[in-house]
Structure formats: C-alpha cells, structure tokens
Amino acid sequence: MRNDRKERFYEMIEKYKKAPDVVSMERFVQHGNTSTLGHSENVAWVSFLVNEKLHLNADEKILVDAAILHDFYLYDWHDRKSDRTDRLIHRYNHPEIACENAKKRFEISQKTQNAIRSHMWPVSIKRIPRSKEAAIICMADKYCAFVETIRMSKHLGLK
Ligand SMILES: [Fe+2]
Ligand SMILES: [Fe+2]
C-alpha cells in the first residue's frame, strides 16, 4: 500500500499523467532502459522527497510541475546519435524547447519556467538555477540520470 507521501505525490502529478503529450514521453528512451516519462517522474519524486526529508521548504507545486516537465521536448534524443553536433545542440537547447512546449500546454508560473530552463546547468553555463526549486531539480536530474544510466533505478525504487 502506498504511504501518504506517495499518495500526495501521485495526486500532484495526476493531471500530467492524463495529458496525451506527457504520456507520449513514454515512447522516448532517456537513459539506459528508462523512458523520458519515467525519468521525468523520477526527477519529480526525488525532488519532492529531498525537499521533504531535508526540510528545504521549497514550493512543492513549483517543484513537481517543473520536474515533471523539465524534459518535455517531445522527441527521442537518441535519433541524433550519429551526429555529434546535433547531440551537443540538444544538450544545450532542450530546456528551452521543453519550457516552450510546457507553456503552450499548461499554465505554469514564471518560477516554474525558470526552473525548467536552468535544469542543465552547468552545461548551459548562463542559465543558473536561481531558486531553491530550480537548484533541487538541477541536482535531482543529475542523480537520476546517473542512476538510470547504470541501470540501477529499479533497485533504488525509481522507474
Ligand atoms: Fe534535460
Ligand atoms: Fe532530465
């Protein structure tokens, strides 16, 4: 049985899990054998958990909204595998694409948009996380990417 914390988290992401474009991220591979949707959910869950466990008092809605949409760029970046330049461009540009897609489909605050835009820092050196929420997501993203790449996510209770 899910505990209260998980229950609360799933309530917060429910509307996104019902949105067809968000669901479509299930088709794209992110790292290892984790889909982009799985990765986004992992980043949202880890961010939510870290905030609560460490008593960081970040805004939960901004945190979860931005985390679930941080990689909402809607293509499979592996299709760009053959072209190194394309992959580098993806690494740098995808937060902006994700943010534009998110703005078109959902009502999200400016702070949420900023957190999406800065999640690749320090790759995107000028887009520095400037809020507690943005900093948490930026770190949770790196942690999840690592765990997914070494295919340990299932062992750590992630997707
Ligand atoms: Fe990303
Ligand atoms: Fe990510």
Side-chain angles (χ1 to χ4, degrees):
M1 215 173 87
R2 279 179 190 160
N3 58 28
D4 283 355
R5 184 189 289 135
K6 265 248 151 109
E7 205 68 70
R8 209 152 47 82
F9 174 72
Y10 278 106
E11 270 170 31
M12 293 181 81
I13 63 165
E14 201 184 355
K15 79 164 184 191
Y16 295 111
K17 298 267 303 199
K18 285 182 182 159
D21 284 333
V22 174
V23 175
S24 79
M25 292 197 288
E26 187 65 51
R27 290 188 283 121
F28 310 130
V29 177
Q30 188 73 1
H31 311 107
N33 41 26
T34 306
S35 70
T36 306
L37 180 61
H39 165 73
S40 304
E41 222 177 294
N42 286 344
V43 175
W45 172 241
V46 170
S47 301
F48 181 83
L49 205 59
V50 163
N51 181 45
E52 199 174 292
K53 293 263 186 193
L54 301 183
H55 308 287
L56 299 176
N57 292 318
D59 183 304
E60 281 187 345
K61 181 168 165 49
I62 293 173
L63 198 59
V64 170
D65 285 357
I68 204 86
L69 297 171
H70 82 282
D71 278 334
F72 194 49
Y73 48 82
L74 302 174
Y75 55 80
D76 195 324
W77 68 270
H78 293 79
D79 294 344
R80 305 177 171 215
K81 215 172 208 164
S82 52
D83 189 328
R84 201 168 174 270
T85 312
D86 258 9
R87 287 182 70 182
L88 287 174
I89 290 171
H90 163 76
R91 279 173 70 82
Y92 190 79
N93 277 354
H94 77 268
E96 195 55 48
I97 298 169
C99 187
E100 286 306 311
N101 285 342
K103 269 164 65 183
K104 274 183 218 148
R105 288 156 177 92
F106 304 101
E107 277 208 15
I108 52 168
S109 68
Q110 192 59 51
K111 220 172 162 183
T112 306
Q113 294 172 35
N114 293 344
I116 294 173
R117 286 198 181 97
S118 64
H119 84 265
M120 280 302 282
W121 187 84
V123 171
S124 50
I125 194 80
K126 288 183 183 163
R127 293 193 210 116
I128 302 164
R130 295 191 191 277
S131 67
K132 219 187 278 182
E133 294 77 10
I136 295 169
I137 290 167
C138 188
M139 284 184 277
D141 184 44
K142 269 109 193 130
Y143 168 77
C144 292
F146 174 71
V147 165
E148 291 158 11
T149 302
I150 61 166
R151 298 174 193 249
M152 285 295 286
S153 48
K154 301 272 189 302
H155 299 278
L156 295 167
L158 298 175
K159 301 264 172 184

